[in-house]
Amino acid sequence: MKIAVLGAGAMGCLYGGMLAEADNEVWLLDVWKEHVDAINETGLYIETSKGNKHIKNIRAAMKPSDIGVVDLVLVFVKSTITEIAIEQNKEIFGIDTIALTLQNGLGNIEKIGSVIGKKNIIAGTTAHGSTMLGPGKIRHAGVGKTHIGEIDGSVSARIQKIGKVFSDASIATDISENVMGLVWGKLMVNIGINALTAITGLKNGQLIDFKETEELLELAVAEAWHVAKIKGIQLPYDDPIAHTKEVCKATAENRSSMLQDVVNKRKTEIEMINGAIVREGEVLGLDTPINKVITNLIAVIQKKYS
Ligand code: PAF
């Protein structure tokens, strides 16, 4: 299968590398010149707990015209730039090209759809962890399941085909008939962890070591849970507060993606995470004061970047 990975960050490289290893034609598309050059010159290096991998049959590009139309686009850019990234790389989308978003936060499906139309979008979640080590080098930090599905929940031939391409590349993948539930399920975790770690500088596990941050985690997730219930979202687990705390434990040593953004003075995904709950709440006439406070605090941190 001819696959383009839009956004060759740590996660994009991980998926691209594994798919290339299984002999797919994989193109990584990114604006970071040093990284693109390193991959084209010496290949992609992936450190894993079971030894290192050197993937040579993978190409990288900065321009969509170097790639042409592909069968599948994995959208891995930050959700802050989804729309512009799709718009600027429209050339890789043909009439039957499928776009798969595994990004964090709400709104990516709509943003991708506003450029290429909704028909060819599928979505999902990933529980893999990956860290960028430098140009052309990543560390596969944690192994986890990938869930993908059609937005309407149907188990189509194309979703089964993509599931098989992933499984053949040793990416353990489940097909879901409730992909929006999964997206919201991941959202709950990001609501409880990301901004609170970014504000306090704590690692994920430390959030539940302090009763004050634990309480805020509980309150933020409870608000989002209420919104999800009113919207009729079926979460993939019973209790999002307990689940988020489990993720804190399972990823105890991680610095969340939002903490890393704040440390590196990058725009965060706050508007697609806690900010999205505030907006969803407003539409339904529900107050979400904790998420409002959290959203505003991150907004101020961002404004203070020098
Ligand atoms: O965004 C993140 O950092 C991750 O989604 C998670 C699960 C919170 C782990 O750090």
Side-chain angles (χ1 to χ4, degrees):
M1 189 175 268
K2 184 173 177 186
I3 301 169
V5 180
L6 188 54
M11 291 297 286
C13 283
L14 176 67
Y15 276 76
M18 291 176 82
L19 289 162
E21 256 195 316
D23 281 337
N24 291 287
E25 178 186 343
V26 177
W27 287 86
L28 302 174
L29 183 52
D30 206 274
V31 292
W32 184 13
K33 186 172 184 316
E34 245 186 305
H35 184 46
V36 166
D37 289 346
I39 293 163
N40 286 333
E41 278 157 29
T42 50
L44 175 70
Y45 291 86
I46 307 184
E47 279 186 11
T48 82
S49 57
K50 294 187 191 128
N52 299 339
K53 293 180 184 176
H54 181 194
I55 294 148
K56 294 183 191 139
N57 65 330
I58 190 162
R59 276 169 285 180
M62 294 179 69
K63 296 193 311 282
S65 54
D66 289 345
I67 302 175
V69 170
V70 299
D71 302 311
L72 173 67
V73 178
L74 297 190
V75 186
F76 264 122
V77 291
K78 283 250 161 181
S79 51
T80 47
I81 58 159
T82 302
E83 211 160 359
I84 182 104
I86 300 284
E87 183 63 53
Q88 285 175 350
N89 294 292
K90 263 195 307 212
E91 273 179 77
I92 58 175
F93 291 92
I95 191 150
D96 292 320
T97 303
I98 296 166
L100 167 61
T101 164
L102 296 175
Q103 299 157 283
N104 278 345
L106 284 190
N108 291 302
I109 295 165
E110 293 72 10
K111 286 176 191 162
I112 299 169
S114 73
V115 185
I116 66 157
K118 259 198 158 175
K119 182 174 73 73
N120 285 344
I121 306 175
I122 59 175
T125 55
T126 169
H128 281 283
S130 187
T131 314
M132 181 62 69
L133 298 177
K137 254 187 214 144
I138 60 162
R139 179 182 303 120
H140 190 181
V143 178
K145 260 267 158 81
T146 301
H147 295 268
I148 59 172
E150 293 281 358
I151 313 298
D152 67 5
S154 62
V155 182
S156 61
R158 67 181 188 179
I159 200 83
Q160 285 174 304
K161 185 170 169 197
I162 291 168
K164 181 161 176 359
V165 168
F166 275 32
S167 302
D168 288 348
S170 305
I171 302 170
T173 303
D174 278 352
I175 309 291
S176 170
E177 294 175 46
N178 175 25
V179 77
M180 289 320 290
L182 285 172
V183 170
W184 274 77
K186 178 85 189 281
L187 179 71
M188 296 287 155
V189 170
N190 293 130
I191 281 177
I193 297 180
N194 292 33
L196 291 174
T197 52
I199 292 165
T200 57
L202 295 173
K203 290 184 187 172
N204 294 356
Q206 292 174 307
L207 274 184
I208 50 174
D209 290 342
F210 294 95
K211 69 174 184 347
E212 295 83 355
T213 41
E214 183 175 24
E215 184 183 17
L216 290 174
L217 176 156
E218 287 168 1
L219 292 169
V221 176
E223 282 179 4
W225 189 6
H226 188 50
V227 171
K229 273 189 201 147
I230 304 285
K231 283 181 74 74
I233 307 282
Q234 299 291 319
L235 295 174
Y237 43 71
D238 291 337
D239 180 345
I241 297 174
H243 178 74
T244 303
K245 290 187 191 181
E246 284 308 317
V247 176
C248 284
K249 286 185 202 150
T251 62
E253 286 305 309
N254 273 27
R255 286 189 168 78
S256 79
S257 52
M258 199 176 292
L259 172 55
Q260 293 184 49
D261 285 341
V262 163
V263 168
N264 292 304
K265 296 189 172 20
R266 289 189 298 246
K267 190 168 180 201
T268 71
E269 297 182 312
I270 190 74
E271 282 304 329
M272 278 60 72
I273 300 177
N274 306 78
I277 285 302
V278 175
R279 290 193 302 279
E280 292 280 345
E282 275 164 10
V283 171
L284 298 168
L286 300 172
D287 276 341
T288 53
I290 300 293
N291 281 285
K292 181 79 186 160
V293 167
I294 290 173
T295 303
N296 285 4
L297 288 175
I298 294 287
V300 172
I301 291 173
Q302 290 180 159
K303 284 185 181 167
K304 279 184 59 212
Y305 292 162
S306 46

